[in-house]
Amino acid sequence: MKCYHYTWRTTYSTKPSEIFNENNEILGTINKYYPNVFCRIIDALCFEGKYFVEYRIHSSDKLIFKAKANLNPFKKRQYKIDYYGNNKHDELLLVDKKLFDIVEVTDFEFEGKTYHLKKAPLQWAKLTVNNQLIAEWHIPIKPPFKCRLKLHDLNYESKVLFLIGIFHTYLEGV
């Protein structure tokens, strides 16, 4: 098992947060992004920083991950993901699957596999494939606000920034 961490920023902040591995080496940065100042002001004043949701993860000044919320108010919460890893571009869609439950649940297809993400209140979020635990993610409810990722399947070590992006987008982009 390997562990990674980064500082959680408020929903209004666009300041990058560095992502560290267990040896405190920087793997990349994550930040909230606004296409223009107008969107940022409207989001802050009217929507508590939760409407124009777009996150970006960079590694060595290279864009690795981009997530953007679908802004259709008549659809369930969903995010379009662009992943630029392993010299190729993958697109996927994260759609909220819960109905009237407080448990966060979604499924998505990536590289021919179906991933299942689930987070119950006060528990670590879990990402599984075929009931095999890949990773867990957690943000504490009191300071210090350090997001943590435990990578259980080391076959996904090259995709750790992708996994952090999925967890952060779906669970913090609410």
Side-chain angles (χ1 to χ4, degrees):
M1 177 174 63
K2 292 204 171 192
C3 298
Y4 304 87
H5 67 276
Y6 60 98
T7 303
W8 176 83
R9 305 269 186 222
T10 67
T11 54
Y12 302 109
S13 177
T14 58
K15 182 178 178 184
S17 184
E18 294 173 327
I19 301 169
F20 297 93
N21 66 11
E22 54 195 5
N23 299 325
N24 282 331
E25 298 167 336
I26 298 173
L27 297 178
T29 59
I30 184 170
N31 69 299
K32 188 169 187 178
Y33 174 81
Y34 288 101
N36 56 53
V37 175
F38 178 71
C39 288
R40 185 174 182 181
I41 291 170
I42 295 297
D43 199 33
L45 294 176
C46 302
F47 301 110
E48 299 176 352
K50 294 186 178 198
Y51 188 71
F52 293 103
V53 176
E54 187 169 339
Y55 291 105
R56 293 187 175 186
I57 296 179
H58 290 84
S59 175
S60 310
D61 295 330
K62 179 182 169 193
L63 181 65
I64 298 292
F65 181 94
K66 181 171 69 170
K68 185 173 182 171
N70 181 346
L71 301 179
N72 187 339
F74 301 108
K75 289 187 176 180
K76 288 187 170 194
R77 176 173 55 119
Q78 51 186 281
Y79 304 95
K80 179 185 177 270
I81 308 291
D82 291 298
Y83 176 60
Y84 307 94
N86 301 329
N87 297 321
K88 66 177 186 169
H89 175 223
D90 291 300
E91 291 182 5
L92 57 126
L93 193 64
L94 284 179
V95 179
D96 188 3
K97 301 279 176 138
K98 71 178 191 283
L99 295 174
F100 298 106
D101 196 2
I102 58 173
V103 175
E104 296 287 342
V105 177
T106 191
D107 296 318
F108 61 93
E109 296 284 328
F110 179 65
E111 294 183 340
K113 297 178 185 174
T114 301
Y115 292 77
H116 182 72
L117 188 148
K118 183 177 183 178
K119 181 179 183 322
L122 304 175
Q123 294 182 6
W124 284 65
K126 296 180 185 331
L127 183 66
T128 59
V129 174
N130 298 327
N131 291 325
Q132 178 185 348
L133 183 62
I134 303 297
E136 294 180 289
W137 184 86
H138 177 70
I139 182 171
I141 55 175
K142 59 183 181 177
F145 296 114
K146 291 272 188 199
C147 297
R148 300 193 186 286
L149 177 87
K150 291 181 188 175
L151 184 64
H152 293 278
D153 187 340
L154 298 182
N155 293 325
Y156 288 87
E157 193 170 6
S158 64
K159 293 178 177 70
V160 73
L161 295 177
F162 170 76
L163 298 176
I164 287 172
I166 293 290
F167 280 116
H168 191 90
T169 299
Y170 191 72
L171 299 172
E172 282 304 308
V174 180

